Amino acid sequence: MKPVKVGICGLGTVGSGTFNVLKRNAEEIARRAGRGIEVAQIAQRRPNPHCDTGSTPITADVLAVADNPEIDVVVELIGGYTLARELVLRAIANGKHVVTANKALIAVHGNEIFAKAREQGVIVAFEASVAGGIPVIKALREGLAANRINWVAGIINGTGNFILSEMREKGRTFPDVLAEAQALGYAEADPTFDVEGIDAAHKLTILASIAFGIPLQFDKAYTEGITRLTTADVGYAEALGYRIKHLGVARSTAQGIELRVHPTLIPADRLIANVNGVMNAVMVNGDAVGSTLFYGAGAGREPTASAVVADLVDVVRAMTSDPENRVPHLAFQPDALSDHPVLPIESCESAYYLRIQAKDHPGVLAQVASILSARGINIESIMQKEAEEHDGLVPMILITHRVTERHMVEAITALEALDDVIGDVVRIRVEHLN
Ligand code: HSE
């Protein structure tokens, strides 16, 4: 049988990895797919020293790949929203299947892209868009199809996890670690996407959609970055038996879906709390299966290529099948998506870590406890340190039981209004993941 012809758009980190894996493992891949997969065209702006493209035709124009009648599958690896959207929609309009690693594109324009793909009867595959080489989309969409998913929680940004791990383990500074992540090709073109949680929110939006059968709703995701975390809080969290991770949480509740990315204390004895460096991990809790954990490299040249090539194999296997009988893009049949709302952050519920800087006076702790108890906030543990030498203030650290964000915000406002409390109260959410 003739090989399937693929056009790779973008020969950066992931594009070069995809080309190299397809070439190196060509025979093994053809045995799995049932046909060879040939790269028939590459769109690239500049040569990549990690990739010897040999005699493969090259163009500088990505849209030429979408218009090339020879090409069966367009692999979109250029990133970003605008040109990538145009490329993917053009490829779909031309009846081509698409494989993409672009989480921003899927999270923001996925509903439109999948609707067009259904009209044309083509596949849009996006395994590499979430957690790099970990096949978590396939697991969630197919392997866990029996379950009502209760929650998904993941470390889904390698750069952020690398930064937090290096800061905790080696005391390195934030800019120093970020520069290394950029040099290694892990970070986004705009690294604020990594450290402010936007990249993780793109990925969480995709996971939530597949987990709960809801349309993609990136605009409703809550994001909070890691830039304001201090080594003091990392240390106090450790002392209380927790690690701080930048976690994406999607939880189904009776009121709606929680969709939030923020720094989070996790008990140090959880496996996921021990996921370090650029590694990613996603926990999925289903009513039948219980908790599962998917772990692996969340970024990087060949780990991400592994997911892109697996999608290509899937496309080759399914391209001759009846479009109605393929696995739906978002796991649930498109006419069966639910309108269960995504909740605003004020309605989300979690436990909290609070750090209060207080004057060393009798009765301060009693005032703090009274403010919390008046709002039904139960304290799980409390730690009070010696007064700081430079200002005489006492750091008071509390972990609370679960409470709605709205009540916690009210309590923090009341705490900050106390004469004996100085400055802002630091609050970090806590998830026990049990
Ligand atoms: N910037 C992303 C990360 C790349 O650090 O995880 C993979 O999506």
Side-chain angles (χ1 to χ4, degrees):
M1 211 187 283
K2 280 200 323 201
V4 170
K5 300 215 170 167
V6 168
I8 296 181
C9 296
L11 204 70
T13 304
V14 183
S16 60
T18 300
F19 185 90
N20 291 341
V21 170
L22 279 172
K23 196 161 118 188
R24 190 173 73 234
N25 297 343
E27 195 202 320
E28 200 88 347
I29 289 166
R31 283 172 55 212
R32 288 195 168 103
R35 291 171 73 178
I37 298 178
E38 178 187 321
V39 180
Q41 192 174 25
I42 295 172
Q44 67 175 88
R45 273 179 302 186
R46 63 189 79 85
N48 187 323
H50 296 285
C51 196
D52 173 9
T53 53
S55 58
T56 312
I58 307 280
T59 172
D61 176 11
V62 289
L63 297 176
V65 179
D67 289 337
N68 182 346
E70 290 262 289
I71 301 286
D72 303 300
V73 189
V74 170
V75 180
E76 184 279 302
L77 302 173
I78 59 175
Y81 304 96
T82 313
L83 182 57
R85 173 176 168 272
E86 194 186 347
L87 167 65
V88 166
L89 291 177
R90 179 92 74 100
I92 292 170
N94 288 335
K96 299 182 194 310
H97 303 286
V98 173
V99 172
T100 177
N102 191 333
K103 54 264 166 163
L105 178 74
I106 296 297
V108 175
H109 298 298
N111 297 322
E112 176 194 20
I113 288 170
F114 297 138
K116 295 283 184 210
R118 277 197 304 282
E119 281 169 29
Q120 292 292 327
V122 297
I123 302 164
V124 176
F126 50 98
E127 180 64 68
S129 66
V130 178
I134 309 173
V136 66
I137 289 182
K138 192 154 189 97
L140 198 48
R141 187 164 53 188
E142 298 173 47
L144 298 174
N147 289 262
R148 221 168 4 86
I149 304 297
N150 295 317
W151 52 264
V152 177
I155 297 170
I156 44 182
N157 181 270
T159 301
N161 201 43
F162 183 56
I163 291 172
L164 289 181
S165 306
E166 292 287 302
M167 285 173 74
R168 189 182 71 82
E169 288 166 16
K170 301 182 188 153
R172 290 176 66 188
T173 65
F174 192 91
D176 175 34
V177 193
L178 178 58
E180 188 182 342
Q182 286 175 296
L184 291 168
Y186 299 147
E188 295 303 296
D190 176 354
T192 57
F193 274 42
D194 295 297
V195 297
E196 294 298 350
I198 299 161
D199 175 76
H202 286 144
K203 295 166 180 167
L204 187 70
T205 298
I206 298 170
L207 289 175
S209 191
I210 293 171
F212 307 124
I214 55 171
L216 295 148
Q217 295 166 76
F218 170 69
D219 55 331
K220 308 235 174 80
Y222 172 80
T223 56
E224 193 177 302
I226 54 173
T227 50
R228 286 179 301 279
L229 280 179
T230 65
T231 46
D233 291 312
V234 172
Y236 293 141
E238 290 270 345
L240 288 162
Y242 293 87
R243 295 267 165 87
I244 302 183
K245 293 290 179 188
H246 204 190
L247 204 68
V249 181
R251 188 190 306 272
S252 176
T253 74
Q255 293 70 40
I257 308 286
E258 297 186 356
L259 195 57
R260 47 192 171 93
V261 176
H262 45 68
T264 311
L265 271 76
I266 304 172
D269 60 2
R270 296 274 180 277
L271 280 176
I272 196 168
N274 295 282
V275 170
N276 292 315
V278 76
M279 303 309 274
N280 280 195
V282 182
M283 286 185 80
V284 181
N285 181 279
D287 69 333
V289 73
S291 283
T292 55
L293 177 67
F294 303 89
Y295 168 84
R301 181 170 284 109
E302 292 212 354
T304 312
S306 166
V308 172
V309 174
D311 270 352
L312 279 170
V313 171
D314 259 2
V315 169
V316 173
R317 286 171 176 156
M319 61 199 300
T320 52
S321 65
D322 170 8
E324 294 299 314
N325 293 324
R326 292 180 187 146
V327 179
H329 293 113
L330 292 176
F332 290 70
Q333 297 299 334
D335 59 1
L337 292 187
S338 139
D339 57 4
H340 206 38
V342 173
L343 295 171
I345 190 67
E346 307 80 64
S347 304
C348 295
E349 194 190 274
S350 68
Y352 286 83
Y353 161 102
L354 301 178
R355 175 161 60 83
I356 301 164
Q357 294 284 104
K359 289 184 193 159
D360 196 6
H361 289 168
V364 182
L365 186 54
Q367 290 181 65
V368 168
S370 139
I371 285 175
L372 295 177
S373 80
R375 287 156 187 87
I377 301 172
N378 209 350
I379 298 171
E380 179 195 286
S381 53
I382 186 160
M383 179 169 80
Q384 188 171 324
K385 306 300 282 184
E386 296 285 302
E388 307 265 6
E389 264 179 33
H390 64 283
D391 56 13
L393 296 177
V394 178
M396 205 181 277
I397 295 103
L398 293 96
I399 305 270
T400 73
H401 284 272
R402 294 180 73 79
V403 53
T404 307
E405 174 103 359
R406 185 178 294 112
H407 292 131
M408 183 49 82
V409 170
E410 280 171 22
I412 288 174
T413 306
L415 289 171
E416 287 174 347
L418 290 175
D419 287 342
D420 286 334
V421 169
I422 306 301
D424 293 344
V425 172
V426 172
R427 66 109 175 79
I428 308 175
R429 297 171 188 84
V430 180
E431 291 290 342
H432 289 94
L433 305 178
N434 51 12

